[in-house]
Amino acid sequence: MSASPHPWWKSATVYQIYPASFLDANGDGTGDLAGITTKLDYLKDLGVDVIWLSPIYRSPLADMGYDISDYEDIDPRYGTLEDWDRLLEGVHARGMKLMMDLVVNHTSDEHSWFTASKSSKNDPKRDWYIWRPGKVVDGQELPPNNWKSVFQGSAWERDPASGEYYLHLYVSKQPDLNWDNPVVRSAVWDAMRFWVRRGCDGFRMDVINIISKTDGLPDAPVVDPTQYYQPASMYFANGPRVHQYIKQMHDEVLSDHDLITVGETPFTHDASELAAYVLPRNRELNMVFHFELMDIDSPPESPLLKKPWTLAELKAVVGRWQRFMRDEGFWNAVFIENHDHARSVSRFGNDSKQWRSISAQMLAIFEITQTGTLYVYQGQELGLKNFPRAWGIEEYKDVASQNYWNLIKEQRQKAQGKEDVEMSDLLDSFAQKARDHARTPMQWNASAHSGFTTGTPWMRVNDDYPEWNAEQQIGDEGSVHAFWKRALKVRKAHDVLIYGDFMTLIEAHEVFAYTRNYESASAVVLLNFKDGDVEVDLGEVSGSVEGYTFVLGNYENNGNGLEGKVTLRGYEGRVYIR
């Protein structure tokens, strides 16, 4: 096979670590950098090329580190800058790379920038953030507009000292930076250069598409008449100067280095909007995380609620993005799990005892056979699943879960005129969709707290850890871990799986079948998303099936070739190449 003419990050496997929950080396109950360093051989052996760390900067943890109080220091919970240097040295020594999480739409309200900004209307840093006077309606003072925070309530917080309000699209302890101020942008470039100089190999950029707000900050249209505060993403997502600012970031910082960059772009399903961030001619980012697939089971009211999804919907979303602007250089980020979403085997597979391992392996095939840079979330390689429905609301630590629970509870108490209201339906939804499921401690072995800590874990470990953990899987060739390791090798060995075109076969079928073609190689991928057997007739749709060799599957397979009629067992996946 000829040497690939592509940048290194296109064929990379990126492994996301949620540091608080990965491994605790000092026994304080929170994962840390020293813990990650002890597991570098585990990650290298799995087939990881890049490690992405969720935020480890100094933070009051109002939103688990996505509220940063110092961009150029490590939070003591996780260690020190010297611990980071040791981690980086170990990563590079093993031929891997390290990617940092850049959170620059907002800071913590405890950041020195905001402390200065809040201190006086005349402070030089006042306009580093977005301050506005309130408005008076019918004699009552209200926030500057009706924008709703992503985490419920108003997106504005009143400062009693000055009488003005500051904008926070997330929680009140996450004030939004004013990117229209060039001095703010320079400060962000400096923070990025700090980490690049230290040896960091790239950035995942948190909600980077919301850094530019619509001029005048107009009221959002009323879509929910029961609430005063309304969703306002049309006025802050993909705003008027967002591309100007990211191009400047590219020119000032990114273009001087061979970095991997991925932007998180929520509130956006429009492909043309997202293309602008990624197309090489625009000189912005390598790729973005879009959420059309991850929103497939979410109703408009909240991603914490569940709606049924169909395989036809999933096929349509995947097929559209796999084919999107390929010739112009659009590049995908392929993922079905991260720290903001429940476990994929529980959402898209089947986490029952009978089907958990098989369906998790099928989902691995689904991921490794798509074009794009591949992202694996910690524990996904083990088939970790959601924690049980029996857990009470007190086990849900995430601010999004807690705020939504409190909002619905208050609404019901008000509507019913009593304190004690029925909430079990919401717990049913949380048990399937809450972000908390991705944040339980990593399941290393069968010892106390799954070997994650010798202390008391910051979050409860899933109950199934004694029989479902890394140590138990590593020696077992039939395990999810062994399968992921095998699957990543197959992907690396066949450029057609990374760069090939994408054509869906049998649109209306209950199987997801597709072909990939690249140079002289072809691949056929067959995925059964159901627990029953299903027959696929390929003779009618794909021309000749001769010459294909079986290279990967999650069942013991009979025979090596591809036949015109194939019977797939429950949650079976197969990959053939010629």
Side-chain angles (χ1 to χ4, degrees), residues 447-460:
S447 67
H449 306 305
S450 73
F452 162 70
T453 181
T454 55
T456 303
W458 77 275
M459 188 177 182
R460 181 174 168 184

Side-chain angles (χ1 to χ4, degrees), residues 400-566:
S401 303
Q402 290 292 336
N403 285 5
Y404 193 69
W405 176 272
N406 292 334
L407 173 79
I408 299 301
K409 188 174 183 181
E410 286 167 18
Q411 284 180 353
R412 291 180 182 181
Q413 287 171 333
K414 190 175 176 183
Q416 297 172 33
K418 60 180 184 179
E419 284 292 306
D420 188 18
V421 291
E422 179 58 50
M423 294 289 287
S424 62
D425 61 315
L426 200 54
L427 215 48
D428 291 342
S429 289
F430 281 14
Q432 298 179 80
K433 293 294 299 295
R435 305 194 305 181
D436 304 81
H437 297 290
R439 303 177 181 191
T440 54
M442 186 70 172
Q443 294 169 213
W444 291 110
N445 57 46
S447 67
H449 306 305
S450 73
F452 162 70
T453 181
T454 55
T456 303
W458 77 275
M459 188 177 182
R460 181 174 168 184
V461 184
N462 204 339
D463 299 345
D464 66 354
Y465 75 84
E467 68 274 0
W468 206 280
N469 59 69
E471 186 175 83
Q472 165 259 333
Q473 289 195 25
I474 285 169
D476 176 6
E477 276 306 302
S479 69
V480 180
H481 179 275
F483 189 82
W484 262 105
K485 186 175 169 180
R486 202 154 62 243
L488 291 175
K489 282 181 178 164
V490 168
R491 178 176 170 87
K492 279 282 166 68
H494 298 284
D495 278 359
V496 66
L497 298 177
I498 302 171
Y499 305 109
D501 66 11
F502 187 98
M503 188 174 81
T504 305
L505 304 174
I506 347 178
E507 287 285 359
H509 210 276
E510 63 226 55
V511 163
F512 197 176
Y514 45 92
T515 57
R516 312 289 314 277
N517 295 284
Y518 181 67
E519 295 178 344
S520 60
S522 298
V524 172
V525 181
L526 306 174
L527 303 169
N528 181 8
F529 276 77
K530 299 281 193 323
D531 58 11
D533 290 3
V534 60
E535 188 175 90
V536 189
D537 189 343
L538 291 170
E540 297 176 17
V541 291
S542 61
S544 169
V545 295
E546 291 178 10
Y548 280 98
T549 303
F550 173 82
V551 295
L552 186 66
N554 57 347
Y555 278 81
E556 291 290 325
N557 211 62
N558 302 319
N560 288 325
L562 178 59
E563 297 174 352
K565 282 194 170 69
V566 178

Side-chain angles (χ1 to χ4, degrees), residues 189-256:
W189 313 154
D190 286 343
M192 295 174 73
R193 291 185 192 107
F194 173 87
W195 292 104
V196 173
R197 279 196 300 267
R198 216 167 177 103
C200 153
D201 299 296
F203 297 100
R204 176 265 185 187
M205 302 183 189
D206 188 63
V207 298
I208 198 66
N209 65 326
I210 69 170
I211 57 176
S212 172
K213 281 71 172 174
T214 298
D215 293 333
L217 309 178
D219 273 346
V222 176
V223 292
D224 182 356
T226 67
Q227 310 269 335
Y228 176 72
Y229 301 112
Q230 301 293 320
S233 63
M234 71 290 295
Y235 292 135
F236 60 72
N238 315 302
R241 287 169 292 280
V242 66
H243 294 292
Q244 174 190 330
Y245 298 157
I246 297 177
K247 281 178 170 65
Q248 188 183 0
M249 176 195 287
H250 185 280
D251 292 344
E252 293 282 342
V253 184
L254 305 177
S255 62
D256 295 335

Side-chain angles (χ1 to χ4, degrees), residues 58 90 111 235 251 328 354 372 450 515 567:
R58 279 191 181 268
H111 196 294
Y235 292 135
D251 292 344
E328 291 86 351
Q354 179 181 0
S450 73
T515 57
T567 300

Side-chain angles (χ1 to χ4, degrees), residues 139-432:
Q140 180 187 0
E141 184 181 331
L142 294 174
N145 65 28
N146 68 347
W147 291 9
K148 182 170 103 170
S149 158
V150 175
F151 292 150
Q152 311 308 322
S154 175
W156 296 91
E157 183 78 3
R158 189 176 188 276
D159 168 39
S162 68
E164 289 194 334
Y165 294 75
Y166 65 85
L167 182 68
H168 61 88
L169 293 178
Y170 291 85
V171 299
S172 59
K173 287 184 67 62
Q174 291 171 294
D176 282 48
L177 283 165
N178 176 19
W179 273 71
D180 293 337
N181 183 339
V183 186
V184 169
R185 300 198 298 275
S186 293
V188 170
W189 313 154
D190 286 343
M192 295 174 73
R193 291 185 192 107
F194 173 87
W195 292 104
V196 173
R197 279 196 300 267
R198 216 167 177 103
C200 153
D201 299 296
F203 297 100
R204 176 265 185 187
M205 302 183 189
D206 188 63
V207 298
I208 198 66
N209 65 326
I210 69 170
I211 57 176
S212 172
K213 281 71 172 174
T214 298
D215 293 333
L217 309 178
D219 273 346
V222 176
V223 292
D224 182 356
T226 67
Q227 310 269 335
Y228 176 72
Y229 301 112
Q230 301 293 320
S233 63
M234 71 290 295
Y235 292 135
F236 60 72
N238 315 302
R241 287 169 292 280
V242 66
H243 294 292
Q244 174 190 330
Y245 298 157
I246 297 177
K247 281 178 170 65
Q248 188 183 0
M249 176 195 287
H250 185 280
D251 292 344
E252 293 282 342
V253 184
L254 305 177
S255 62
D256 295 335
H257 309 277
D258 186 17
L259 303 173
I260 179 171
T261 57
V262 54
E264 183 194 26
T265 52
F267 315 107
T268 315
H269 290 172
D270 183 335
S272 60
E273 286 266 25
L274 296 174
Y277 296 95
V278 178
L279 294 176
R281 64 174 181 255
N282 292 355
R283 295 173 57 80
E284 294 189 24
L285 305 174
N286 298 156
M287 66 198 101
V288 294
F289 291 128
H290 73 80
F291 294 95
E292 190 172 4
L293 182 60
M294 301 308 283
D295 291 340
I296 200 170
D297 59 354
S298 300
E301 308 91 90
S302 171
L304 297 173
L305 304 180
K306 183 175 174 66
K307 77 174 176 74
W309 62 275
T310 66
L311 184 58
E313 290 172 314
L314 180 138
K315 287 158 77 165
V317 172
V318 171
R320 183 164 61 253
W321 284 102
Q322 284 291 289
R323 290 186 290 267
F324 181 67
M325 297 191 83
R326 297 178 67 91
D327 294 342
E328 291 86 351
F330 185 86
W331 191 250
N332 283 289
V334 178
F335 72 103
I336 50 169
E337 230 176 87
N338 66 26
H339 64 290
D340 280 339
H341 293 275
R343 291 292 184 176
S344 58
V345 71
S346 300
R347 290 179 76 187
F348 302 111
N350 183 329
D351 64 10
S352 66
K353 188 172 183 181
Q354 179 181 0
W355 296 112
R356 178 180 180 180
S357 181
I358 285 288
S359 69
Q361 292 175 35
M362 183 274 289
L363 291 172
I365 297 174
F366 171 61
E367 273 210 81
I368 67 106
T369 54
Q370 290 183 55
T371 284
T373 299
L374 185 64
Y375 290 80
V376 181
Y377 180 69
Q378 67 180 44
Q380 185 179 351
E381 80 278 12
L382 303 176
L384 294 193
K385 68 174 184 174
N386 288 359
F387 55 74
R389 166 63 179 83
W391 287 21
I393 188 61
E394 69 282 355
E395 302 292 357
Y396 290 81
K397 309 296 185 190
D398 178 27
V399 63
S401 303
Q402 290 292 336
N403 285 5
Y404 193 69
W405 176 272
N406 292 334
L407 173 79
I408 299 301
K409 188 174 183 181
E410 286 167 18
Q411 284 180 353
R412 291 180 182 181
Q413 287 171 333
K414 190 175 176 183
Q416 297 172 33
K418 60 180 184 179
E419 284 292 306
D420 188 18
V421 291
E422 179 58 50
M423 294 289 287
S424 62
D425 61 315
L426 200 54
L427 215 48
D428 291 342
S429 289
F430 281 14
Q432 298 179 80

Side-chain angles (χ1 to χ4, degrees), residues 27-48:
D28 67 357
T30 299
D32 45 42
L33 295 178
I36 297 169
T37 303
T38 67
K39 292 295 182 182
L40 292 179
D41 287 335
Y42 167 86
L43 297 173
K44 179 66 177 175
D45 178 68
L46 178 63
V48 171

